[in-house]
Amino acid sequence: MMKPSFVKSIARNAARTIALASCAALSLAASPPQPAPKPTPTAKARQQLAAKGNWNGTMSVTADGSHTLGNPDAPIKMTEFVSYTCPHCAVFHREADPVLRTTLIPKGQIQVTVTNLLRNPIDLTIAMLTSCGDPNRFWVRHNAFFASQDQWLAAAQKLTPEQLARWGQGEIPARMRAIAGDLGFYAKMQQWGIDRARADRCLNDAAMLDKLRAQQSAAGSLGLTGTPSFVINGEVQQVHDWEHLSKLLSDRAAALQAGRI
């Protein structure tokens, strides 16, 4: 059984979320039992990976259920706080992901961590589903939900009053099942070999909910209220888009090559 305390604040926003009068109702301003993950590579294995330029294949899961990509010993460690219903996050992901995967990540200069800043029941549902199944396939699911955001947000705006009512009534797992069904998330999960029964078990996973609670707590302790937000080497950055973040990262990478960090 999921604890109601964690979802209380999310549930309070359910009426606003399920109204879905416009995309803005779901977006944020760009402002201030799962399979065990594969073990972290040994120092020797890391050196071998670095020699091959293969840090894109190095993934892990943190204690709070966040997902990391890249060299665990990278001098630049960046955490991205995301909301799946945030259009700014989708734009950032589309612009940043291919660049990072072909530059700083394979070189071992940066490790990227994705964590959730939940703002509504749809965010909660997707966060539970992206963490469902093989943890090393998280990035495939993560990418796909952002890539198809326009489609399922558009579908959300066409729901009937009866469908929307199911989003705001009953136990939280039942609400998430309604969201997953109405927005086509079960079909999406099926593409990755996760059938509806398994997806429903994930939506009822109290342990994962605890981890998402920890992610919310981490965001709150940092004073984060909007997405995407970024923390680099423990410091909150006052940038919220790829244009400005890429310059910041380029400067740090240049300093790396100059031996200053």
Side-chain angles (χ1 to χ4, degrees):
M1 178 71 69
M2 292 187 176
K3 299 177 182 178
S5 57
F6 171 61
V7 296
K8 185 177 180 181
S9 61
I10 297 175
R12 281 202 304 264
N13 294 328
R16 182 183 64 182
T17 302
I18 64 177
L20 298 173
S22 68
C23 244
L26 287 174
S27 66
L28 299 174
S31 64
Q34 297 291 347
K38 295 182 179 179
T40 301
T42 63
K44 181 178 180 180
R46 292 173 188 174
Q47 292 174 356
Q48 293 173 339
L49 286 170
K52 296 178 180 179
N54 193 32
W55 288 112
N56 277 312
T58 303
M59 309 168 195
S60 64
V61 185
T62 67
D64 71 357
S66 300
H67 290 260
T68 72
L69 176 66
N71 179 8
D73 299 322
I76 302 173
K77 294 186 184 299
M78 182 179 77
T79 299
E80 176 189 355
F81 288 80
V82 305
S83 157
Y84 285 103
T85 53
C86 165
H88 300 285
C89 294
V91 170
F92 172 83
H93 183 75
R94 182 171 64 248
E95 294 175 345
D97 187 68
V99 179
L100 288 172
R101 285 179 179 270
T102 55
T103 57
L104 298 182
I105 293 176
K107 293 178 182 179
Q109 293 177 316
I110 189 171
Q111 182 190 53
V112 176
T113 300
V114 166
T115 192
N116 293 280
L117 201 168
L118 304 175
R119 301 295 293 176
N120 53 61
I122 300 177
D123 278 346
L124 176 61
T125 304
I126 298 177
M128 297 289 278
L129 292 175
T130 54
S131 295
C132 183
D134 182 355
N136 288 324
R137 298 286 288 170
F138 162 81
W139 297 94
V140 174
R141 298 185 289 269
H142 174 73
N143 295 346
F145 272 104
F146 270 133
S148 59
Q149 185 193 75
D150 287 349
Q151 299 169 27
W152 49 261
L153 277 183
Q157 294 176 317
K158 300 176 182 179
L159 299 179
T160 67
E162 292 76 18
Q163 287 175 306
L164 294 176
R166 294 190 294 119
W167 290 25
Q169 299 174 0
E171 298 293 329
I172 296 301
R175 299 184 193 187
M176 288 193 289
R177 290 195 297 271
I179 292 170
D182 291 339
L183 299 186
F185 294 165
Y186 285 120
K188 188 177 294 292
M189 298 298 288
Q190 185 69 54
Q191 295 174 0
W192 305 309
I194 299 173
D195 62 20
R196 184 166 186 146
R198 186 178 181 189
D200 283 345
R201 289 196 296 272
C202 290
L203 293 175
N204 199 45
D205 186 351
M208 187 62 226
L209 191 70
D210 284 339
K211 293 176 182 179
L212 290 172
R213 183 185 296 111
Q215 293 178 31
Q216 292 296 96
S217 177
S221 68
L222 292 167
L224 302 180
T225 59
T227 54
S229 287
F230 308 95
V231 175
I232 297 179
N233 292 349
E235 296 182 0
V236 176
Q237 305 300 308
Q238 301 304 315
V239 297
H240 303 279
D241 57 43
W242 176 237
E243 179 183 0
H244 293 90
L245 183 68
S246 62
K247 183 180 185 306
L248 189 157
L249 293 177
S250 294
D251 290 344
R252 294 202 176 210
L256 261 177
Q257 293 178 347
R260 295 197 296 273
I261 60 174

